[in-house]
Amino acid sequence: MAPPSYRRCGKSGRSRGFMVSLRHMVCAMVAVLAMSTVARAEDGFPFGTELTLEASPQPGSKRIPNIEIGDNGEVVLELWCKGGKGQFSVAGNTVIFVPGQIQDRSCPPAKAQADDDLVAALGSVETWKRQGDVLTLLGPKPLRFRANGN
């Protein structure tokens, strides 16, 4: 025999009221868990995302550096002129970027220097934070990237 609070509604309307409130409570708990999962996903490191540096284009160009972060932290870089690969390793809020091979692409000296400075800044990041679609990599020179919309 089921406990009194789980009996089907018969003579007492009290059991039915309890079941309705239990149903509402379970639905509310599921909704809270779903929202917290979404919030954690939005605030987690953006693996599987393409991001653009929050910066102005170099003189004479419309190009702005972007990074594409793969599901395992592998990175494809498109800089002011150069391009290349790298790897992010993330543990909690600590992040390490290791640059891979960077292609020179016969860049003008000013753009080549800006690219080298950006790769060095990426290599010196220590921590990260994310708010919505903005990833901030923190180190001696903070870098802000915004997720590209589809």
Side-chain angles (χ1 to χ4, degrees):
M1 182 170 166
S5 57
Y6 291 102
R7 283 189 206 146
R8 290 193 177 255
C9 186
K11 296 180 184 175
S12 167
R14 224 171 56 181
S15 325
R16 183 172 192 178
F18 177 78
M19 289 302 291
V20 169
S21 1
L22 181 62
R23 237 182 252 141
H24 287 184
M25 190 167 54
V26 169
C27 288
M29 288 171 39
V30 168
V32 167
L33 287 173
M35 285 188 283
S36 67
T37 302
V38 169
R40 275 185 269 142
E42 288 177 358
D43 293 334
F45 195 81
F47 293 108
T49 306
E50 186 175 334
L51 303 119
T52 299
L53 181 67
E54 285 190 348
S56 300
Q58 293 282 318
S61 173
K62 293 182 181 180
R63 191 169 175 172
I64 298 175
N66 69 64
I67 58 176
E68 186 175 334
I69 305 170
D71 293 335
N72 296 314
E74 65 279 6
V75 177
V76 175
L77 301 163
E78 285 300 328
L79 306 168
W80 301 109
C81 178
K82 297 179 182 184
K85 296 184 181 220
Q87 178 73 41
F88 276 116
S89 295
V90 179
N93 73 335
T94 302
V95 64
I96 297 171
F97 176 77
V98 178
Q101 183 177 2
I102 305 294
Q103 302 165 353
D104 190 356
R105 298 181 180 166
S106 302
C107 301
K111 288 184 183 177
Q113 185 61 54
D115 288 347
D116 293 342
D117 292 345
L118 182 54
V119 171
L122 283 166
S124 66
V125 299
E126 299 164 352
T127 59
W128 65 276
K129 67 179 180 176
R130 182 173 176 192
Q131 293 178 311
D133 65 348
V134 175
L135 170 69
T136 304
L137 299 172
L138 301 164
K141 181 181 178 184
L143 301 168
R144 285 177 48 101
F145 289 86
R146 184 168 301 275
N148 296 351
N150 290 353

